[in-house]
Amino acid sequence: ETGVTQSPTHLIKTRGQQVTLRCSSQSGHNTVSWYQQALGQGPQFIFQYYREEENGRGNFPPRFSGLQFPNYSSELNVNALELDDSALYLCASSLREPAKNIQYFGAGTRLSVL
Amino acid sequence: SQQGEEDPQALSIQEGENATMNCSYKTSINNLQWYRQNSGRGLVHLILIRSNEREKHSGRLRVTLDTSKKSSSLLITASRAADTASYFCATDPFYNAGNMLTFGGGTRLMVKP
């Protein structure tokens, strides 16, 4: 158990809809990262939030957006869903430490876009 | 695109045997980490090796790092059925301003009882 919780665990949406995924970080962690994992592949970095500001972004379009709240919980929002957005979305929290960067993952939200 | 490539993509062994997985990456790194994932669940951190280290041990795990070849290997000794999972290497790039990790495609390990 990492102490990182994600909700919901599963979600089914149709193309064009919008979705919000939620993450509660491990106590004491000030950084949260979001990853997309397609079936059979490794996680791909979407973006990271540190002290409520975006602090790095992967190769994802602007319809992927996020928020981090003062209690360090976080949201991932995806607008105008596409079929290729179907994936496992993973949230990971960490404590910003130079040259260490160990991340603690939640169990993920499995999103299916029909 | 992903930073690393893992080899093999899938590995099937008998309980008690050793399992070796390899990872190659492309850019300079601060450290390299290995994570484990059980069947579509979250990833669990196993071990971290810094760029100035060549070998590290943790229980039945042994990790090596060769920065000149930009490669790493993970050895699991005396494997157990419970080791069945996907294993991913993740690099913390040297230029990293955002604390992101870049993952490889993973090795799917099956340990048969």
Side-chain angles (χ1 to χ4, degrees):
Chain A
E1 288 292 328
T2 62
V4 178
T5 58
Q6 291 188 242
S7 62
T9 55
H10 294 84
L11 202 51
I12 299 174
K13 291 285 188 178
T14 56
R15 195 169 48 183
Q17 285 189 312
Q18 179 266 342
V19 69
T20 297
L21 310 181
R22 293 179 175 83
C23 172
S24 177
S25 296
Q26 182 166 315
S27 178
H29 285 180
N30 54 17
T31 303
V32 64
S33 303
W34 285 90
Y35 293 83
Q36 180 196 67
Q37 186 179 23
L39 199 61
Q41 297 185 22
Q44 297 259 14
F45 175 72
I46 303 175
F47 46 55
Q48 181 187 86
Y49 279 80
Y50 171 63
R51 293 185 176 175
E52 303 174 55
E53 292 194 2
E54 189 177 292
N55 184 49
R57 189 177 184 93
N59 189 26
F60 281 81
R63 59 189 186 84
F64 286 78
S65 63
L67 284 172
Q68 186 184 32
F69 300 101
N71 65 356
Y72 300 128
S73 64
S74 176
E75 286 182 356
L76 164 66
N77 299 290
V78 187
N79 293 323
L81 284 166
E82 300 177 358
L83 297 179
D84 285 349
D85 295 334
S86 295
L88 180 68
Y89 287 85
L90 296 163
C91 162
S93 74
S94 57
L95 191 58
R96 198 177 179 92
E97 294 178 285
K100 196 164 185 183
N101 192 19
I102 293 173
Q103 303 202 358
Y104 297 83
F105 284 82
T109 294
R110 185 161 297 282
L111 173 65
S112 298
V113 183
L114 306 177
Chain B
S1 63
Q2 300 186 184
Q3 154 84 307
E5 295 294 331
E6 269 128 314
D7 167 52
Q9 290 187 335
L11 181 61
S12 181
I13 59 174
Q14 294 294 133
E15 208 165 27
E17 293 180 337
N18 295 341
T20 300
M21 306 161 220
N22 303 296
C23 167
S24 61
Y25 58 91
K26 297 173 185 173
T27 63
S28 297
I29 60 172
N30 290 315
N31 63 67
L32 184 144
Q33 304 176 36
W34 286 88
Y35 287 78
R36 167 193 165 126
Q37 184 179 37
N38 286 344
S39 188
R41 303 280 294 171
L43 283 78
V44 175
H45 177 263
L46 295 176
I47 194 167
L48 178 151
I49 186 165
R50 300 183 195 279
S51 60
N52 60 354
E53 297 175 313
R54 291 297 166 258
E55 188 171 314
K56 203 156 183 184
H57 296 254
S58 177
R60 294 184 296 113
L61 304 180
R62 173 179 169 254
V63 170
T64 62
L65 179 65
D66 186 335
T67 53
S68 67
K69 294 181 180 178
K70 292 188 169 56
S71 67
S72 173
S73 67
L74 171 67
L75 169 68
I76 304 174
T77 60
S79 63
R80 305 166 182 168
D83 294 329
T84 295
S86 291
Y87 292 83
F88 295 90
C89 69
T91 51
D92 182 356
F94 185 72
Y95 60 81
N96 198 3
N99 262 22
M100 59 178 272
L101 289 178
T102 306
F103 286 84
T107 292
R108 284 139 198 85
L109 173 65
M110 176 175 288
V111 182
K112 299 176 185 176

